[in-house]
Amino acid sequence: MTTYDDRASLTDLTTTAERVRGSVEAVIEGKPEVVRLSLTVLLAEGHLLIEDVPGVGKTMLAKALARSIDCSVRRIQFTPDLLPSDITGVSIYDQQRRDFEFKPGAIFAQVVIGDEINRASPKTQSALLESMEERQVTVDGHTYELPDPFMVVATQNPVEMEGTYPLPEAQRDRFMARVSIGYPTAEAELRMLDVHGGLSPLDDLQPVAHAHDIVKLIDAVRAVHVAEAVRRYAVQLVGATRNHPDLRLGASPRATLHLLRAAKASAALCGRDYCLPDDVQALAVAVLAHRLLPTAQAQLNRRSAEQVVLEILQQTPVPTAVGGPAAAAPQYQAGPAYGGRQQPGPRRT
């Protein structure tokens, strides 16, 4: 297997990521933290759930990210009559060959855009479970590998719930992070009128990275070092969600793994080959909140899962240097987006 110099790969990562970020931000105005989270999930080999009201650019963000990298792209419009075979594929009998031939479905792409995923039936939604977790599809007893890299970017609306099916917990748990784009500022909306007033900027968007570049960058992210103290810190954060009185369902061990992978990708995007507690803190809300189920009493008190995660961040001691005492966690405020960058604590080495 070909090996790459870690330092050179890390330099390539930051350079390529800046090109992709600039390309996406040319389409999505005024949302740099959302674009950065999307890149983080891509390099961490995860899947992204974009949840927000209609018309704020959910599908536009997914398309811009897909077109900025030279990868195969498929878009699936989820509707109540969509069948699982429309996603995974189907075996068709070929009369000339007198044998069954597999016709790949829309999931066989490197970037799959699932628009309004909650409008499909639970049976159709479950067709994504194997592909998102194991990056393969099994049809009629045969297993087919999915291309590399592979990422699902799904969108859903938290309003207009008529005719929709809430995502089951097993499905939500397979998304590495959830992000809410939010409304743009007045200045960003004015710039959007100038840019989008004529032709769509997606029409002129050209790839700024290739699929094999993304695969190399993913390998560089895997090599990012995570100290034992930082790993324990991530385990403590996730473990606290399982014992919190306001939650009837805490985060799974898969959430711990996703949080660590996302933290490594965030560190690499900052040009570091090692993780800090700040990387874990900044991504905790985006990675954990959508997996949690508040109790009935918490819902009556209007306590959201995001508020619970922020409270856990405040109460969990932050690791310091080896042998040093644990410091009190810094104070946090909820950002405009689920994946918005939180106020980081002081850097500790």
Side-chain angles (χ1 to χ4, degrees):
M1 180 180 295
T2 304
T3 59
Y4 303 94
D5 180 74
D6 292 340
R7 183 172 301 176
S9 298
L10 199 59
T11 303
D12 294 341
L13 188 149
T14 54
T15 303
T16 305
E18 280 299 311
R19 292 202 307 267
V20 176
R21 182 193 59 79
S23 178
V24 177
E25 287 186 358
V27 178
I28 305 299
E29 297 283 346
K31 297 295 177 181
E33 75 282 354
V34 175
V35 176
R36 189 179 191 277
L37 178 62
S38 303
L39 281 175
T40 301
V41 174
L42 172 65
L43 298 181
E45 303 178 89
H47 309 288
L48 182 65
L49 178 63
I50 308 175
E51 184 178 278
D52 213 325
V53 296
V56 295
K58 300 186 298 297
T59 307
M60 187 76 71
L61 172 63
K63 286 184 175 181
L65 179 63
R67 293 192 183 186
S68 296
I69 55 180
D70 189 17
C71 295
S72 57
V73 182
R74 292 282 186 90
R75 181 179 181 274
I76 307 174
Q77 181 64 53
F78 282 81
T79 56
D81 60 346
L82 191 70
L83 298 176
S85 58
D86 296 330
I87 298 176
T88 60
V90 63
S91 295
I92 300 177
Y93 184 74
D94 190 338
Q95 293 184 352
Q96 294 182 349
R97 297 173 50 196
R98 295 185 178 182
D99 195 4
F100 285 93
E101 181 182 1
F102 178 68
K103 298 293 185 181
I107 197 65
F108 284 86
Q110 292 169 313
V111 178
V112 178
I113 303 173
D115 204 5
E116 295 189 287
I117 188 174
N118 57 334
R119 293 200 177 277
S121 65
K123 182 179 180 180
T124 303
Q125 292 177 9
S126 64
L128 292 171
L129 294 179
E130 181 186 10
S131 60
M132 293 177 66
E133 179 65 20
E134 302 176 36
R135 299 176 185 270
Q136 66 182 25
V137 171
T138 302
V139 178
D140 295 336
H142 296 279
T143 300
Y144 304 92
E145 297 293 332
L146 293 173
D148 196 23
F150 175 72
M151 179 182 185
V152 174
V153 183
T155 70
Q156 69 171 356
N157 299 328
V159 296
E160 298 183 65
M161 301 306 294
E162 296 81 2
T164 63
Y165 304 86
L167 293 180
E169 296 310 313
Q171 183 84 48
R172 300 175 71 90
D173 196 45
R174 280 166 169 77
F175 286 100
M176 176 172 286
R178 178 183 66 176
V179 63
S180 177
I181 296 178
Y183 292 114
T185 62
E187 293 76 11
E189 199 161 2
L190 284 173
R191 291 195 302 270
M192 182 192 70
L193 294 178
D194 295 334
V195 176
H196 297 251
L199 298 176
S200 172
L202 282 174
D203 298 337
D204 299 327
L205 201 62
Q206 298 296 326
V208 295
H210 298 281
H212 64 270
D213 295 329
I214 302 300
V215 173
K216 288 175 57 178
L217 301 186
I218 289 174
D219 290 338
V221 169
R222 291 173 180 169
V224 172
H225 174 70
V226 184
E228 176 70 19
V230 178
R231 293 200 299 268
R232 289 184 178 274
Y233 180 56
V235 171
Q236 289 175 357
L237 290 177
V238 176
T241 65
R242 302 166 189 165
N243 303 314
H244 200 281
D246 287 337
L247 298 176
R248 59 188 176 93
L249 178 66
S252 65
R254 184 189 287 119
T256 312
L257 181 61
H258 283 180
L259 181 59
L260 197 63
R261 287 179 178 175
K264 292 170 69 173
S266 178
L269 288 174
C270 293
R272 288 184 276 106
D273 59 355
Y274 57 92
C275 270
L276 293 175
D278 290 355
D279 300 316
V280 177
Q281 294 166 356
L283 291 162
V285 175
V287 175
L288 301 180
H290 66 285
R291 310 169 192 263
L292 309 178
L293 290 181
T295 61
Q297 186 61 42
Q299 292 176 341
L300 289 175
N301 296 334
R302 299 184 180 275
R303 289 266 291 166
S304 66
E306 289 79 12
Q307 292 173 331
V308 174
V309 176
L310 292 173
E311 180 182 293
I312 291 174
L313 285 172
Q314 294 170 2
Q315 296 175 351
T316 305
V318 181
T320 59
V322 178
Q331 298 295 315
Y332 288 84
Q333 295 180 353
Y338 296 139
R341 190 178 302 172
Q342 308 299 329
Q343 295 295 329
R347 300 273 177 172
R348 300 178 177 87
T349 58

